[in-house]
Amino acid sequence: MKATINMSCREIIIRRVTAAVCWSSALQAVLLVTVLFLLNFNPLHPILWIKQTATLSVSLGTWLYFCPVGLAICMQSIVSCKDFMEVRRYSGTRFAVYCNMFSFHNFIMVTLYTVTGALVTWMHLSLLEGKYGKMFAICSADDSKMCLVEGYLFLMLNGFWIGMYFFVNDYVFGNKRLYFPVVQQFKFLQVKAELQSLMKQAMIDSLSPSVYFVVIYYWNGGAIRGYISDILECNVEEKSQDTILGLMNTSELFYLWLFSSIFIFTIYNIKLMLRVNLTEHIFFPITSLVGNSNCLTLHQSLAMSDVPIIQYLGFLDLKVLAEKDYGRREQLFTLSHPGGHPYNWNAVVEETLKLIRKFTEDINKANTETKPAPESNEYVITKDYSPSKSFAIASSENQGTFVSGMRNMSLRVHNMSDISLCQSPSNFVHFQPRPFNVSQESILTILRLYSTQALDALCRKPGISFIFGDLPDAKVRYHLAQCQPVIWAIQGLSCLAAASFKEDHYGVVQKDLPAIITSVLQLKQSLDRLQKVGNYKRSQKTEHHDMKMKAALRSAVKQSLYTVCVTFGEYVKDMSLSKEVLQQIQHFLNFREG
Amino acid sequence: MNLALLKQLDARVTSHPRIAITRDLLHSSICREDTRRIFLPVSETLIKKVTNVWYKQGLVEALHLVAEPQDSREVPAALQVIAAYMLKVISGINYVHSLFRPHIRESGDKLIAAVSQTRAWPISAVRCLAWHPHCTKLAVAAWDDSVHVYSSGTTLTPILKCKSQRAVSCMAWRPMSASELAVGCDGGVFVWQVDPNSVVTRPSTSCATVLQRPHHSPVTSVTWSPQGDILLTASAADTAMYVWDVAMEKFVALRRVGGGGLSLVTWSPDGSKVFAATTGIIFRVWDTAQWTPERWTIASGHVQTACWSPCGSILLFATSEEPIIYSLTFCQRETVFQHDDASKTAVSVVDLTEVEVNEGERVGGIVESMIWDTRGQHLAVLFKKTDLIAIFSTELHVVLQVAPCCLVQGVSGEIPSCIGFQQNFEEGACLTIAWSSGRVQYFPLVRTDLKSERNIFQDSGAC
């Protein structure tokens, strides 16, 4: 096993981001040389061709041109790694989602994307020289004047455009999650395996924005050209390019597509390197070493809920430790030397159980929150009033509710738990004993009721409910999207429990076994209640991902309960577990739980 | 032998499901062809016929139909010539393709038959069987590619079948789960959820997660990690093996140069290593901590079958050319006394040269399949040519000791198709044999002497 690394949280992140920046800059440089090599293609003079490329690649000028791009990559890596350093904000309504789009962070990002897009184009144009190498050239009509080269302008504008387009397409609407690989390989192999498919993806992805740009340029190209030439106070060629024939220039279109592809690949490259470097498995020490009190230990990393990436790495390490690392497991199960307390184990299990319990609580809360509060109110109040009113009104009111109930059921037919909550007798019991008498209080109640009803009615108006209404299951999905550490936590705990069967000589795990089993079972119950969430709208990518997350969590919960049951067998019954828990565990012991 | 124990043992097996895959259980595509023959032949127009064949059997078959029609008046001569040329071009492309990917000499069913652990895979009534690791539950894949799940205590046998599940070549139950079965077939891997509480006998396709990758078919081997969180799949036509997170449908492809397609992967029971055999002379043993392979070569042929000892320190394998079982020893923890060279070569453990036992019965030869029970006491060997199953008793002391135990013969005319050990048989080992007649037989093996007690004790001590 690799030696554990003694670093503080800050040190870990800085090191990884630096590595990511270096790797992506290096790859970008390699890409630049390759592009130069290919574009200087000269089949008639192959030696000249190679020589030219070689001189270009070693000349200082080339790398001076590369510097700004490298800087942009660096900036972008640093800014976008911030996504993984912070807990994602919850946005329950569409309005909140839109508001989040106009954050300061996104403003910086869009600037960076646009600048990078322009810089990539500028660098390649400058290095290729040729027709579009300079912004100005001697006019074809008048030798004494300098004219704006429209091709240059066209390609540079595309640089800005692709930056902006890709920001919206990839960053705003795309997936910002950090995917951990299924198994840890060497970083180089991971990059190698991904490169080819990313290159292909970039080439395909650049097609549609290029087409859009050509169309936009066809409509507005002349105006933009005029505007730019006014600002720069320069002349333009008489023949404009914003005609269909002008846009049919093959070499220009090729460059357009090529630079778009290179830019998109640059972004993918940055993301890939960040992912590979940030998700690399790390071995946290169990106890802080003497002399380096600054270093991050395992249980400290588990508690880092405000820096998700460190918490993720911590739980991943817990899982790996539980499955594969005998040495550190031994360290975890030992007692402290003076005193004989299992501090190491206690600290880890406390943090882990805290996370599992908090997640269970969040899920339960989110699940009950989705219950339609105003409707149940309406339902109950009508019931309350109906005896005192005439039968006709009551029945009509009843009918009204019934109809609205029907409609709402059809809206929420996916969420079975909601319906059961509405119909549960506890609601009636709570409201029915209240006597009906016309007093100031009841008038106030009615007024309040009407005002809420009016608000609800307003909220139900199509446009308003679309923007301000709660998104269905938003809260549940928000929590599910972040359940990866929970998965590792339960897998790690169950594996540790299984390992303790043979390795735990002092019985430090044994005292916590009932707590572990109970919390995992509680999580299972709340997940069972969630059964139907997210079973619709399969089309959207992120929602599909949340659904898979739920499946993964469910399967991990079952897997870990089975791990405990298979290892301990009938001994499980001897633990101090409550009756209900034992009953549920019995299903697992009999292998009757699907 | 103790009579009471024998009775008890008998009772253990009598509660097992009785399985016989008979011909009338099978519903194959051939049957469908037959039903078509019952009806009167209809004269279809050429275009209809061609589109029909294209839809059902693919472009190449459609071209064949046009190039070599039964009634040559039906197809214009020009079309025939064009179709013939196109066929030539396709075969030329295939030839060039095979030059670039030399590991694929055969394709489809032939390839599966070449690397399969089942004897006479294309015609065998039972294509493979898999015991559940924790409970008495047996999955049997029949010749018509339906998977029957038998469990003790219930007569309900769910049948897992769907149209794209064709040419089933391997199966594995997920450890630490009651109900998940990975079925490797021509179209990829189907991970079925067989709910033990459900009374549905034909679960729908929605109960299955399909894992597919381009070029990764036919899948010839699947194996789960012992913790049950990761699935590993290999295809004899693909040089990469895929590591899957099944619920997330995420994967990582592991690929190394050399050796060709991967025919067999098995995870060691302790989870620290993965054995991966290629269709060439190379096989690899992957270390699962960093996923780095250790490369081994054999003299000729390919590794036909391999199995791990229960503690994961010894690997037994047999090649497709020699009638010898080799063993490889891996030290779990490095010690001072460990001799470097000794652990770096495979040692031949058993010589299985074909011999004649009584009255013309022959045993031995090239090994088709080899399995080791979960206690490491019995090793069962199925041969390619001879019809007896050999069982060896093994002891895992400091070195591996193998001694012949017994031979198993079927009812007259029966040849064994595939074998498996029940994973949760507490009294000893229960060998399960699927015979060519479709009969599945349980063969319990129990050793009551003190020696085996010691063996068990030492096992748990050593591993």
Side-chain angles (χ1 to χ4, degrees):
Chain A
M1 274 293 155
K2 255 162 94 175
T4 50
I5 299 161
N6 308 309
M7 278 190 285
S8 67
C9 163
R10 180 178 288 274
E11 227 176 317
I12 293 168
I13 292 169
I14 289 175
R15 235 177 233 217
R16 292 186 167 212
V17 174
T18 321
V21 168
C22 295
W23 282 55
S24 40
S25 305
L27 183 63
Q28 201 62 36
V30 173
L31 181 76
L32 174 67
V33 173
T34 326
V35 169
L36 289 181
F37 183 72
L38 291 179
L39 287 184
N40 286 324
F41 180 63
N42 193 348
L44 298 177
H45 307 280
I47 295 168
L48 188 73
W49 169 35
I50 291 165
K51 215 163 134 190
Q52 234 175 10
T53 322
T55 23
L56 253 182
S57 355
V58 293
S59 76
L60 184 68
T62 310
W63 300 111
L64 281 179
Y65 275 116
F66 182 74
C67 274
V69 176
L71 202 68
I73 289 175
C74 177
M75 289 290 288
Q76 206 156 3
S77 298
I78 291 167
V79 177
S80 59
C81 87
K82 192 174 154 276
D83 285 334
F84 315 119
M85 306 296 148
E86 281 179 355
V87 183
R88 197 163 327 126
R89 245 187 301 168
Y90 167 66
S91 37
T93 61
R94 282 195 176 79
F95 184 66
V97 174
Y98 297 139
C99 280
N100 276 353
M101 278 181 199
F102 296 99
S103 63
F104 180 66
H105 178 71
N106 277 13
F107 176 72
I108 295 177
M109 265 334 248
V110 73
T111 324
L112 274 174
Y113 265 72
T114 326
V115 168
T116 315
L119 280 178
V120 166
T121 313
W122 169 76
M123 174 180 76
H124 285 95
L125 280 178
S126 314
L127 289 175
L128 286 173
E129 290 176 343
K131 206 161 69 175
Y132 312 114
K134 295 244 158 50
M135 196 166 184
F136 301 102
I138 295 157
C139 291
S140 49
D142 189 350
D143 282 354
S144 59
K145 283 184 196 160
M146 294 295 270
C147 280
L148 187 70
V149 180
E150 195 169 2
Y152 184 88
L153 179 72
F154 179 73
L155 291 173
M156 279 306 287
L157 282 178
N158 178 57
F160 286 106
W161 158 253
I162 187 79
M164 215 115 72
Y165 176 90
F166 205 66
F167 167 77
V168 174
N169 201 15
D170 184 64
Y171 193 80
V172 177
F173 293 110
N175 212 333
K176 275 178 279 185
R177 291 198 180 86
L178 200 59
Y179 289 107
F180 280 74
V182 183
V183 289
Q184 178 69 48
Q185 288 186 84
F186 290 125
K187 287 188 278 184
F188 176 71
L189 291 172
Q190 284 184 50
V191 172
K192 203 181 100 187
E194 293 262 344
L195 269 189
Q196 203 188 355
S197 67
L198 277 190
M199 232 174 242
K200 212 185 274 172
Q201 191 62 39
M203 283 176 185
I204 295 166
D205 285 355
S206 62
L207 283 175
S208 54
S210 303
V211 171
Y212 297 153
F213 179 72
V214 170
V215 172
I216 292 171
Y217 198 84
Y218 174 70
W219 292 113
N220 293 323
I224 296 168
R225 193 178 60 139
Y227 186 67
I228 299 275
S229 65
D230 277 354
I231 291 177
L232 299 175
E233 291 172 351
C234 62
N235 301 312
V236 286
E237 296 274 358
E238 263 162 39
K239 216 169 70 188
S240 174
Q241 216 186 348
D242 58 349
T243 58
I244 290 186
L245 268 181
L247 287 170
M248 281 293 147
N249 188 342
T250 340
S251 75
E252 217 169 279
L253 287 183
F254 170 72
Y255 281 134
L256 179 78
W257 169 77
L258 180 75
F259 296 149
S260 301
S261 304
I262 291 174
F263 167 73
I264 292 178
F265 180 75
T266 310
I267 300 293
Y268 283 159
N269 171 18
I270 293 170
K271 283 167 94 175
L272 172 72
M273 296 307 179
L274 265 183
R275 196 185 74 206
V276 167
N277 280 292
L278 282 179
T279 61
E280 194 198 0
H281 181 209
I282 187 167
F283 295 86
F284 290 106
I286 304 283
T287 47
S288 58
L289 297 175
V290 187
N292 189 2
S293 54
N294 217 3
C295 79
L296 199 64
T297 56
L298 181 62
H299 70 90
Q300 280 169 346
S301 74
L302 300 185
M304 285 263 185
S305 53
D306 47 343
V307 190
I309 179 73
I310 295 292
Q311 200 189 19
Y312 274 57
L313 286 170
F315 279 105
L316 178 62
D317 187 40
L318 180 73
K319 187 196 168 213
V320 172
L321 169 150
E323 282 180 358
K324 292 171 185 162
D325 201 339
Y326 175 77
R328 282 196 302 156
R329 260 194 328 250
E330 208 171 28
Q331 214 178 337
L332 199 62
F333 294 148
T334 50
L335 303 178
S336 66
H337 188 45
H341 293 287
Y343 287 126
N344 296 340
W345 167 256
N346 280 353
V348 166
V349 83
E350 193 188 327
E351 288 304 331
T352 318
L353 284 181
K354 205 164 85 186
L355 179 87
I356 297 173
R357 283 184 190 138
K358 184 171 175 296
F359 183 79
T360 314
E361 225 170 81
D362 285 344
I363 284 280
N364 280 341
K365 213 190 282 170
N367 200 23
T368 44
E369 254 174 36
T370 37
K371 119 189 137 155
E375 276 147 37
S376 69
N377 231 348
E378 207 174 74
Y379 188 66
V380 171
I381 298 287
T382 3
K383 278 276 179 193
D384 203 15
Y385 276 65
S386 55
S388 63
K389 302 269 176 186
S390 71
F391 182 72
I393 298 166
S395 69
S396 75
E397 266 186 13
N398 254 339
Q399 208 173 26
T401 4
F402 190 57
V403 169
S404 81
M406 285 286 282
R407 199 196 59 214
N408 292 327
M409 275 169 80
S410 68
L411 273 176
R412 273 165 233 276
V413 77
H414 310 283
N415 207 337
M416 293 306 281
S417 61
D418 291 348
I419 292 162
S420 70
L421 270 170
C422 289
Q423 289 170 343
S424 70
S426 62
N427 281 343
F428 306 115
V429 173
H430 181 67
F431 281 93
Q432 260 169 354
R434 203 170 57 183
F436 174 74
N437 57 337
V438 185
S439 67
Q440 208 174 0
E441 240 174 75
S442 65
I443 292 171
L444 269 178
T445 329
I446 293 164
L447 274 178
R448 212 174 291 147
L449 176 70
Y450 275 119
S451 65
T452 46
Q453 269 179 348
L455 252 176
D456 286 342
L458 189 71
C459 283
R460 259 188 233 129
K461 289 272 180 290
I464 290 169
S465 77
F466 183 81
I467 295 173
F468 294 102
D470 274 349
L471 287 167
D473 308 327
K475 195 115 200 188
V476 175
R477 281 194 285 108
Y478 168 75
H479 290 305
L480 280 178
Q482 303 174 8
C483 75
Q484 186 64 64
V486 183
I487 293 177
W488 287 328
I490 49 182
Q491 282 175 339
L493 270 190
S494 66
C495 275
L496 278 175
S500 78
F501 190 64
K502 277 184 183 168
E503 293 170 14
D504 175 18
H505 305 296
Y506 306 106
V508 295
V509 179
Q510 210 178 1
K511 70 175 171 49
D512 291 316
L513 267 178
I516 293 172
I517 294 176
T518 313
S519 355
V520 177
L521 261 179
Q522 274 166 355
L523 178 58
K524 183 187 167 283
Q525 277 172 335
S526 46
L527 281 177
D528 284 345
R529 258 176 257 143
L530 274 185
Q531 199 69 287
K532 299 286 174 189
V533 172
N535 273 2
Y536 45 92
K537 278 191 199 160
R538 271 170 166 256
S539 54
Q540 283 187 29
K541 216 176 174 182
T542 49
E543 292 187 5
H544 193 61
H545 176 261
D546 297 341
M547 221 171 61
K548 280 188 189 164
M549 258 331 210
K550 200 184 98 195
L553 184 60
R554 282 174 67 84
S555 124
V557 164
K558 278 186 188 156
Q559 183 206 330
S560 49
L561 283 172
Y562 271 120
T563 308
V564 173
C565 286
V566 166
T567 322
F568 290 90
E570 294 295 311
Y571 300 127
V572 174
K573 287 178 187 163
D574 299 334
M575 292 174 198
S576 57
L577 292 166
S578 72
K579 220 173 187 180
E580 296 98 73
V581 172
L582 267 179
Q583 223 168 18
Q584 294 217 18
I585 277 290
Q586 193 60 43
H587 290 300
F588 283 91
L589 285 171
N590 296 343
F591 292 97
R592 301 299 296 174
E593 186 73 45
Chain B
M1 197 182 257
N2 192 339
L3 203 69
L5 189 84
L6 200 67
K7 260 189 189 158
Q8 190 194 341
L9 183 69
D10 207 35
R12 271 289 286 189
V13 188
T14 41
S15 69
H16 278 32
R18 289 174 181 281
I19 307 166
I21 305 290
T22 48
R23 289 283 154 188
D24 50 316
L25 260 177
L26 306 176
H27 307 277
S28 74
S29 52
I30 304 291
C31 298
R32 242 176 283 139
E33 294 278 336
D34 288 342
T35 55
R36 207 186 296 151
R37 263 178 233 154
I38 297 168
F39 299 107
L40 289 172
V42 283
S43 55
E44 288 172 318
T45 56
L46 175 72
I47 186 96
K48 207 169 176 182
K49 231 190 249 175
V50 170
T51 43
N52 220 352
V53 172
W54 191 338
Y55 179 71
K56 279 182 183 154
Q57 288 160 313
L59 177 66
V60 179
E61 285 302 311
L63 285 175
H64 270 295
L65 183 81
V66 178
E68 299 136 21
Q70 286 163 336
D71 182 8
S72 55
R73 278 168 302 172
E74 202 179 19
V75 185
L79 255 184
Q80 277 187 41
V81 174
I82 291 170
Y85 265 107
M86 278 171 84
L87 277 176
K88 272 183 192 163
V89 169
I90 286 173
S91 68
I93 289 170
N94 282 344
Y95 176 72
V96 173
H97 202 236
S98 67
L99 283 184
F100 282 108
R101 301 172 73 192
H103 54 275
I104 307 163
R105 282 179 216 98
E106 288 130 345
S107 66
D109 290 5
K110 273 187 199 159
L111 186 68
I112 298 175
V115 299
S116 169
Q117 308 264 310
T118 306
R119 187 162 159 186
W121 180 85
I123 55 162
S124 165
V126 175
R127 289 203 147 158
C128 56
L129 47 84
W131 273 104
H132 193 281
H134 311 300
C135 52
T136 314
K137 201 181 267 189
L138 177 67
V140 178
W143 175 73
D144 63 344
D145 296 318
S146 59
V147 176
H148 304 246
V149 180
Y150 300 91
S151 21
S152 71
T154 170
T155 51
L156 204 73
T157 54
I159 298 170
L160 314 175
K161 193 175 182 187
C162 84
K163 206 176 158 194
S164 44
Q165 183 178 298
R166 215 190 61 74
V168 174
S169 55
C170 51
M171 287 190 296
W173 286 97
R174 185 178 193 157
M176 305 306 162
S177 146
S179 58
E180 279 178 65
L181 176 72
V183 179
C185 61
D186 194 39
V189 181
F190 285 75
V191 183
W192 289 91
Q193 280 267 5
V194 195
D195 189 355
N197 300 316
S198 151
V199 288
V200 182
T201 48
R202 280 293 297 269
S204 74
T205 335
S206 63
C207 299
T209 313
V210 189
L211 307 173
Q212 283 172 317
R213 292 299 303 154
H215 308 302
H216 196 64
S217 86
V219 172
T220 48
S221 187
V222 288
T223 181
W224 291 92
S225 73
Q227 286 91 13
D229 52 349
I230 297 172
L231 176 70
L232 199 61
T233 65
S235 163
D238 193 358
T239 51
M241 59 183 189
Y242 283 84
V243 185
W244 293 92
D245 178 344
V246 175
M248 296 296 290
E249 291 169 44
K250 278 196 306 185
F251 60 87
V252 168
L254 298 173
R255 197 190 300 267
R256 290 293 184 276
V257 179
L262 289 161
S263 56
L264 175 68
V265 282
T266 35
W267 214 298
S268 75
D270 67 340
S272 64
K273 287 178 200 71
V274 169
F275 170 85
T278 65
T279 49
I281 56 165
I282 295 169
F283 70 90
R284 296 188 179 85
V285 179
W286 293 77
D287 170 32
T288 58
Q290 281 285 324
W291 289 94
T292 46
E294 200 177 290
R295 186 179 145 134
W296 294 80
T297 46
I298 53 174
S300 61
H302 67 264
V303 173
Q304 169 65 33
T305 179
C307 51
W308 288 94
S309 71
C311 53
S313 61
I314 295 178
L315 174 80
L316 295 185
F317 68 90
T319 68
S320 60
E321 305 271 307
E322 293 167 299
I324 295 171
I325 298 177
Y326 291 99
S327 96
L328 259 181
T329 311
F330 298 93
C331 282
Q332 282 171 319
R333 268 162 251 158
E334 309 252 326
T335 59
V336 194
F337 307 109
Q338 183 195 330
H339 202 272
D340 265 342
D341 301 332
S343 65
K344 285 295 167 198
T345 46
V347 190
S348 78
V349 193
V350 187
D351 186 0
L352 296 167
T353 315
E354 201 173 312
V355 287
E356 191 172 314
V357 284
N358 50 347
E359 288 148 31
E361 262 323 321
R362 299 184 72 80
V363 68
I366 307 290
V367 177
E368 175 82 53
S369 167
M370 177 172 65
I371 47 170
W372 212 339
D373 77 329
T374 44
R375 284 156 197 265
Q377 292 180 337
H378 297 281
L379 180 74
V381 180
L382 171 70
F383 299 101
K384 259 205 163 83
K385 296 275 156 58
T386 50
D387 302 343
L388 293 178
I389 289 173
I391 300 175
F392 297 91
S393 54
T394 54
E395 283 191 43
L396 279 160
H397 291 291
V398 184
V399 286
L400 173 71
Q401 292 174 358
V402 185
C405 175
C406 59
L407 297 170
V408 185
Q409 187 177 20
V411 185
S412 65
E414 278 184 334
I415 56 167
S417 299
C418 52
I419 48 177
F421 270 116
Q422 186 182 338
Q423 308 277 310
N424 65 331
F425 198 70
E426 278 150 24
E427 288 85 354
C430 178
L431 180 67
T432 310
I433 309 159
W435 298 95
S436 58
S437 59
R439 182 172 67 100
V440 175
Q441 184 194 359
Y442 305 107
F443 192 85
L445 294 150
V446 175
R447 296 205 311 196
T448 48
D449 52 350
L450 284 168
K451 217 166 126 198
S452 68
E453 294 283 324
R454 197 191 64 193
N455 198 3
I456 295 166
F457 177 71
Q458 286 203 338
D459 265 353
S460 53
C463 302

